């Protein structure tokens, strides 16, 4: 692209005059040449031309800026052309010493002229070229002084996501402006999980060819989506919407979102014709937001005088692009003022050495020059921070204006209504960006006001319809050979019946629009089809939906979209079961063996602990060893019925007994409840206890052919595939379960509960064992991002709320011949895990009581024993003997010992000695 502008200049037979600055003048220049590239007759151009001229006059008359230097503007009219001829016209102003260019107006032209600006280092300030690909990396001298279409498309994507539409259609002009804007729209929609389902480009010359516009609109009308984004030029847009209105595409059900070209037309033209206004009723559009200010009000009040003094045109109103054009002149003036304050001899030009080879001839390329201060001026432009008619103006690091925001407009009647705002920082809101914080708490849930949609309706359009190509919805159904209660074909016809079919028809009837469809069977009729193969047909585009017993799994959701589940159906284990008849040992069933053992041991432990704590102070726990043993047993087990006769006198013994009686109360109550349940409710037993026992064994397992159960058992539970036996029908299930592993059958069948409930309804010799070990459901499948899946989900929820699903379930699936509750042999038994906390509490209290008792005994023994010369063995024997004694005897001996000590003391005082053969203390005397 370095030489692209040179190729353009070959067609321009003019003489460019090089006016390299002398660099000798050290004072400010009297005049600075700037250029402007506009389409004078366009809605944007005619307003911008007047605004730029007014801004130049205001700058030149202001004593606060440029210090006497005047701006001289040179404008070129591109005559509504964004092509080659417009570019040639735009180059005419380069004959003068131009330090900056305002424009161009069109993005296509901006792409080309930006290469020239890069070569000549002349800043290019565009107030209307909104193409987001015009960035500072490729075009460092291009400065956008308006909002980029990147933000406008982000606002449109926000609106689409707000109204929960999934697909949109984009109609656009097939040039840089249209293509790049729609590309940005696609990226922003993808962030909202939406997409452009159809792109309808139009030739840049389509405005003069109504047939091409009609053909484009006809293709759009054949699409399912009814949300249409119109990204086009202002002078062409009205013709497109007029033809859309004529073709009936502006009626009920359609959504039209126009980019800011429509507000440009509405703001500029004082009054559109009634026919033109009828064509755009209900359209949503955007307008760049410019806050109200005194500066803006003053400018608008001058507008009529400006038109009268500077133009001969009929009256037109200013639009937002005109405000940005006015601010662009002031932005350039502030930057140039800073530029002049920073440098001397600053306006100078130098020859481009790369052009010397073109010396001679009529095209004096070698005379073209580079603006030496272009880079410094560009830097000053990006550093400006000012307030203008359009609001605050400053640039971020990417070269875009800060704080982009838009008004969301709804065309109603003869005018427009603002229904909300969008800003890059806060998204959609009801309050303007500047007042958002003050209004934040007024309506936290609502982001936009109500809209009058095309067709004069207030209800939000669905956003899509079935295409008008006459095709029916192709609905695939599995051709099952078993469990035909769910899906089955009526012999001799193309009709289908069954639970799944009835649910689909009932949900379809809930939709507010007709859904023509036809069923297409899948399967050979000899075995159940594989569901995953049926779903892959949707991904290939050969089916529009699948209806049947389709389980929603993670892998399947990666291929298609499912509706809300209409029935829950997790995996269960079915195995042979038999009744547990009552017998003489039925009273042992409430507790497991471990529970019985722990309970019995606990009785004995508590009895021993209480005996230890009571025997020294309680005569009921004293006597011969045989009597004491019987007392321990009697006391322990009598607490079970709270009928013990022994009196507990010690504090520690009472503490242990209180805790133990609480444990006995809980265990006794639980045993009574469990035994009652066992004796009054029919109990079933099975060698298979659930999925856990199957995974740890090596016995074969049956599953329904084509079900996802095979992959689940192998991938999730790591069961070897050799153990899995595919079965086709309920008869195969029954035969395999009866034969068992020893006769080539299976130990159990793993399948979904919905199937197994039907299977067990007439086969009482089998039952569900264990718990359901997955939580899944059945749903209808549709292609990815299908809007019909969302509407059908809503319809299924309505059926669930009004009882429709339950009535269909009762019609097809309820059977009363046999109970299918399954084996419950372990449900009513009491396990140790339910009571270990109680036993632990009781054991802890017993331990503490024994510990305190031992400490007490040691302290008493220490007080009664004064002989420290005894060996350890003798002291232990003496301590055990002390513990065996009755506490009352010890106390009496202690009192007698104290009296004897006093007597001996008196005798010692009289005789001066103590007889050696007298006992030294009461304890030895007792011994």
């Amino acid at each position: 692209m370095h030489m692209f502008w040179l190729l353009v200049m070959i067609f321009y037979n003019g003489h460019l005059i090089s006016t390299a600055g002398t660099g000798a003048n050290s004072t400010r220049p009297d005049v600075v040449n700037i250029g402007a590239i506009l389409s004078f007759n366009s809605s944007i151009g005619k307003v911008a031309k007047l605004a730029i001229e007014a801004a130049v006059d205001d700058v030149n008359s202001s004593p606060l800026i440029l210090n006497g230097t005047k701006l001289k503007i040179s404008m070129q009219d591109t005559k509504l052309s964004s092509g080659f001829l417009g570019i040639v016209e735009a180059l005419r102003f380069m004959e003068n010493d131009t330090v900056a260019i305002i424009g161009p107006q069109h993005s296509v032209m901006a792409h080309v002229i930006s290469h020239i600006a890069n070569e000549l280092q002349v800043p290019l300030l565009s107030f209307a070229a909104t193409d987001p690909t015009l960035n500072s990396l490729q075009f460092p001298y291009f400065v956008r002084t308006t909002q980029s279409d990147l933000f406008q498309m982000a606002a449109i994507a926000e609106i689409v996501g707000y109204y929960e539409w999934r697909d949109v259609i984009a109609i656009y002009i097939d040039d840089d402006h249209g293509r790049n804007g729609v590309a940005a729209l696609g990226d922003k929609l993808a962030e909202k999980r939406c997409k452009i389902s159809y792109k309808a480009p139009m030739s840049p010359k389509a405005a003069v060819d109504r047939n091409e516009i009609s053909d484009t609109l006809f293709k759009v009308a054949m699409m399912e989506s009814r949300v249409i984004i119109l990204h086009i030029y202002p002078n062409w847009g009205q013709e497109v919407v007029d033809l859309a209105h004529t073709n009936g595409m502006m009626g009920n059900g359609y959504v039209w979102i126009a980019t800011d070209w429509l507000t440009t037309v509405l703001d500029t033209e004082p009054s559109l014709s009634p026919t033109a206004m009828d064509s755009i009723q209900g359209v949503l559009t955007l307008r760049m937001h410019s806050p109200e200010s005194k500066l803006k009000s003053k400018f608008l009040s001058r507008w009529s005088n400006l038109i009268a003094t500077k133009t001969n045109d009929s009256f037109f109103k200013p639009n937002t692009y005109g405000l940005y054009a006015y601010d662009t002149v002031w932005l350039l003036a502030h930057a140039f003022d800073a530029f002049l304050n920073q440098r001397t001899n600053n306006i100078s030009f130098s020859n481009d050495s790369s052009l010397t080879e073109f010396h001679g001839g009529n095209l004096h390329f070698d005379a073209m020059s580079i603006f030496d201060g272009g880079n410094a001026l560009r830097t000053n432009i990006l550093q400006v921070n000012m307030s203008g008619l359009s609001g605050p103006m400053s640039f971020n690091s990417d070269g875009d204006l800060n704080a982009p925001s838009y008004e969301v407009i709804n065309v109603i009647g003869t005018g427009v209504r603002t229904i909300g705002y969008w800003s890059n920082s806060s998204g959609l809101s009801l309050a303007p960006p500047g007042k958002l914080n003050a209004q934040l708490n007024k309506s936290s849930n609502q982001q936009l006001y109500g809209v009058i949609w095309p067709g004069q309706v207030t209800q939000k359009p669905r956003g899509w319809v079935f295409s008008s190509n006459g095709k029916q919805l192709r609905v695939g159904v599995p051709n099952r050979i078993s469990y035909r209660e769910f899906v089955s074909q009526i012999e001799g016809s193309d009709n289908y019946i069954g639970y799944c079919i009835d649910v689909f028809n009932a949900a379809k009837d809930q939709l507010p629009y007709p859904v023509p469809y036809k069923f297409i069977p899948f399967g050979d009729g000899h075995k159940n089809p594989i569901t995953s193969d049926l779903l892959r047909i949707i991904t290939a585009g050969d089916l529009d939906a699948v209806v049947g017993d389709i389980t929603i799994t993670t892998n399947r959701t990666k291929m298609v979209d499912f509706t809300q589940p209409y029935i829950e159906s997790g995996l269960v284990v079915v195995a042979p079961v038999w009744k547990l008849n009552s017998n003489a040992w039925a009273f042992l069933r409430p507790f497991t063996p471990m529970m019985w053992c722990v309970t019995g041991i606990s009785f004995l432990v508590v009895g021993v602990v209480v005996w230890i704590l009571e025997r020294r102070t309680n005569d009921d726990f004293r006597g011969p060893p045989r009597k004491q043993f019987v007392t321990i047993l009697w006391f322990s087990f009598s607490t079970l019925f709270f009928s013990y006769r022994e009196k507990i006198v010690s504090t520690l013994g009472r503490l242990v007994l209180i805790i133990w009686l609480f444990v006995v109360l809980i265990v006794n109550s639980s045993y009574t409840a469990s035994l009652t349940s066992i004796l009054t409710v029919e109990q079933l037993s099975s060698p298979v206890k659930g999925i856990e026992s199957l995974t740890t064994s090596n016995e074969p397992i049956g599953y329904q052919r084509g079900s996802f159960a095979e992959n689940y058992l192998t991938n999730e539970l790591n069961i070897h595939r050799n153990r899995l036996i595919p079965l086709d029908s309920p008869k195969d299930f029954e035969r395999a379960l009866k034969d068992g592993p020893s006769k080539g059958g299976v130990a159990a069948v793993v399948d979904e509960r919905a199937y197994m409930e039907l299977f067990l309804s007439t086969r009482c010799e089998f039952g569900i064992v264990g718990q359901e070990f997955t939580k899944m459901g059945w749903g209808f499948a549709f292609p990815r991002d299908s809007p019909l899946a969302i509407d059908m989900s809503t319809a299924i929820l309505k059926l669930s709320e009004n009882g429709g699903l339950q009535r269909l379930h009762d019609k097809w699936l309820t059977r009363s011949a046999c109970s299918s509750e399954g084996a419950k042999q372990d449900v009513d038994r009491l396990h140790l895990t339910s009571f270990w906390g109680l036993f632990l509490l009781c054991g802890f209290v017993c331990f503490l009581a024994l510990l305190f008792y031992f400490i007490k005994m040691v302290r008493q023994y220490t007080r009664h024993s004064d002989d420290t010369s005894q060996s350890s063995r003798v002291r232990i024997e003496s301590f055990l003997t002390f513990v065996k004694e009755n506490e009352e005897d010890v106390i009496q001996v202690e009192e007698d010992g104290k009296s004897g000590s006093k007597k001996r003391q008196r005798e010692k005082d009289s005789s001066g000695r103590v007889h050696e053969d007298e006992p030294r203390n009461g304890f030895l005397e007792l011994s």
Side-chain angles (χ1 to χ4, degrees), residues 21-30 69 339-347:
T22 63
N25 188 8
S26 62
T27 61
R28 283 176 173 261
D30 295 331
T69 300
F339 174 80
L340 294 177
N341 291 333
Q342 293 171 355
R343 296 172 57 93
T344 58
N345 303 325
N346 43 19
I347 301 181

Side-chain angles (χ1 to χ4, degrees), residues 557-633:
T557 56
K558 297 176 182 179
M559 296 189 293
V560 296
D561 281 350
F562 285 95
T563 62
Q564 175 79 15
Y566 58 87
I567 186 174
E568 293 184 0
S569 184
L571 290 177
V572 294
V573 178
V574 172
V577 296
W578 57 84
K579 296 181 181 179
L580 289 175
N581 297 321
S582 181
N583 54 45
W585 302 101
F587 68 91
L588 295 176
R589 290 183 189 172
F591 286 169
T592 61
M594 179 60 70
M595 183 66 181
W596 279 116
C597 292
V598 173
T599 303
I601 293 173
S602 299
F603 274 103
L604 295 177
V605 169
V606 171
V608 171
V609 171
V610 173
W611 173 77
I612 293 174
L613 298 176
E614 292 290 320
R615 65 174 304 278
R616 298 188 72 245
T617 59
N618 193 339
D619 291 338
D620 291 340
F621 291 88
R622 298 181 62 83
R626 180 180 297 178
K627 179 184 176 183
Q628 294 184 45
F629 179 74
V630 172
T631 301
I632 291 174
L633 293 179

Side-chain angles (χ1 to χ4, degrees), residues 326-342:
Y326 182 91
D327 290 343
T328 300
V329 176
W330 276 95
L331 178 72
L332 179 60
H334 281 289
F336 199 74
D337 187 50
F339 174 80
L340 294 177
N341 291 333
Q342 293 171 355

Side-chain angles (χ1 to χ4, degrees), residues 73 668 884:
I73 187 75
N668 195 10
K884 293 178 182 179

Side-chain angles (χ1 to χ4, degrees), residues 387-603:
S387 293
L389 303 182
S390 59
M393 294 190 71
S394 61
F395 297 91
N396 58 26
S397 59
D398 296 328
D400 292 319
L401 288 178
N402 287 315
S405 59
Y406 286 86
E407 301 174 23
V408 184
I409 305 295
N410 183 206
V411 181
I412 304 173
T414 58
V416 297
R417 174 173 175 259
T418 300
I419 63 170
Y421 300 85
W422 178 90
S423 67
N424 193 39
S425 58
S426 60
L428 295 174
S429 64
L430 298 177
K435 300 180 180 179
L436 182 59
N437 294 333
Q439 302 290 335
L440 190 59
N441 297 326
K442 287 190 175 181
S443 181
S444 58
N445 296 326
Q446 187 181 10
Q447 293 181 307
L448 292 176
Y449 289 111
V451 178
I452 305 297
W453 302 99
Q456 300 298 312
V457 296
T458 57
Q459 183 179 4
K460 183 198 75 172
R462 188 173 64 253
W464 72 279
V465 295
F466 284 102
S467 59
S468 304
N469 51 19
K471 292 183 178 179
Q472 294 178 314
L473 196 70
R474 299 165 298 177
V475 181
V477 292
N479 188 12
R480 298 191 58 88
I481 64 172
S482 61
Y483 299 110
R484 298 175 64 83
E485 292 88 348
F486 296 107
V487 177
S488 63
Q489 185 176 9
I490 301 176
E491 295 184 4
S493 69
D494 295 333
N495 297 326
Y496 284 79
I497 59 173
Y499 171 70
C500 300
I501 302 299
D502 281 3
V503 171
F504 174 76
N505 288 326
K508 178 184 66 66
D509 293 339
Q510 295 284 331
L511 301 179
Y513 50 87
V515 181
Y517 68 92
K518 64 177 180 178
F519 288 129
I520 301 175
F522 177 77
D524 56 10
H526 301 291
K527 60 182 180 180
N528 291 328
I530 299 177
T531 303
S532 298
D533 294 341
L534 178 57
L535 296 179
R536 289 190 183 94
I537 300 179
I538 293 182
T539 62
D542 296 329
L543 288 177
D544 301 315
V546 169
V547 171
D549 47 341
I550 311 300
T551 304
I552 303 173
T553 65
T554 302
N555 290 332
R556 292 174 181 176
T557 56
K558 297 176 182 179
M559 296 189 293
V560 296
D561 281 350
F562 285 95
T563 62
Q564 175 79 15
Y566 58 87
I567 186 174
E568 293 184 0
S569 184
L571 290 177
V572 294
V573 178
V574 172
V577 296
W578 57 84
K579 296 181 181 179
L580 289 175
N581 297 321
S582 181
N583 54 45
W585 302 101
F587 68 91
L588 295 176
R589 290 183 189 172
F591 286 169
T592 61
M594 179 60 70
M595 183 66 181
W596 279 116
C597 292
V598 173
T599 303
I601 293 173
S602 299
F603 274 103

Side-chain angles (χ1 to χ4, degrees), residues 207 230 232-242 261-262 265 280:
L230 187 57
I232 203 169
Y233 293 119
N235 52 310
W236 296 359
Q238 189 62 51
E239 190 168 4
V240 175
V241 294
D242 286 343
W261 67 265
L262 182 55
V265 174
I280 57 176

Side-chain angles (χ1 to χ4, degrees), residues 238 241 250 262 266 272 275-283 411:
Q238 189 62 51
V241 294
M250 285 289 181
L262 182 55
L266 295 174
L272 291 178
T275 302
M277 290 302 298
D278 288 342
S279 301
I280 57 176
Q281 290 298 302
V283 174
V411 181

